Amino acid sequence: MHQNNPSGFRRENITAAIQEITPTVALVRIYPVRRPVTHLFESDFYRMLIDRTAEEEVARIVRRSFGNSADWRLAHDFYLPTETLYLTPEPHQNGYIPEDDRSFGLSLSRRVAEFGGEH
C-alpha cells in the first residue's frame, strides 16, 4: 500500500505533481505567506494566468518538498527543469520580471537547494 510521506515527495514526483496541475510551467515564484501570491511562468518567460486554488496547491507542493531548507519569509523561485530552488531576484536584478528580462535570473549565488540534494 502506498503511503504519503509528509516530509515531501519522492524525487520523480515533484515535477510531475506540479505539471499535473499546470502542464506547461517552467518556473514557480512563491512569495512569503504574508503576501499570499504565487506566480507561474512558462518557458517563454511569460506569466501563466491560472486560478488561485491551483497557485496555492503548487506553492504547497514546493514548500512541503523543500521544508526547512528554505526561509519561507523570503520569496523563492523553483525552476522545474533542474528541480532547483533559488531566492527570487531583487527588483533591480536580472530575472525579477522574466517577461521583460527574457530571463529567470537563475544564479548560483541565489541557489538555496536542489530537490533531493544538498545546497
Side-chain angles (χ1 to χ4, degrees):
M1 179 176 164
H2 176 73
Q3 292 183 352
N4 235 355
N5 180 352
S7 65
F9 294 97
R10 291 191 322 256
R11 178 164 179 76
E12 63 273 15
N13 288 343
I14 187 172
T15 297
I18 292 170
Q19 289 179 333
E20 226 176 84
I21 297 166
T22 177
T24 60
V25 68
L27 182 95
V28 178
R29 179 163 292 166
I30 302 170
Y31 290 95
V33 176
R34 70 180 184 279
R35 181 182 173 194
V37 175
T38 302
H39 294 162
L40 305 169
F41 296 90
E42 294 183 292
S43 61
D44 64 359
F45 308 107
Y46 284 92
R47 189 170 156 213
M48 301 174 67
L49 300 177
I50 63 172
D51 67 77
R52 182 69 191 134
T53 304
E55 286 180 357
E56 289 171 347
E57 179 62 15
V58 170
R60 186 190 65 75
I61 290 168
V62 174
R63 283 189 178 112
R64 188 172 86 179
S65 298
F66 285 96
N68 293 333
S69 63
D71 180 353
W72 297 110
R73 296 173 297 178
L74 304 171
H76 287 79
D77 290 347
F78 176 66
Y79 187 56
L80 275 76
T82 62
E83 295 187 328
T84 305
L85 188 69
Y86 297 86
L87 286 172
T88 299
E90 294 296 324
H92 66 277
Q93 293 176 314
N94 190 40
Y96 183 74
I97 305 173
E99 57 270 26
D100 289 350
D101 299 340
R102 306 297 295 162
S103 164
F104 290 131
L106 307 176
S107 168
L108 287 176
S109 65
R110 287 193 304 276
R111 186 179 70 191
V112 174
E114 291 180 30
F115 186 70
E118 297 178 16
H119 176 60

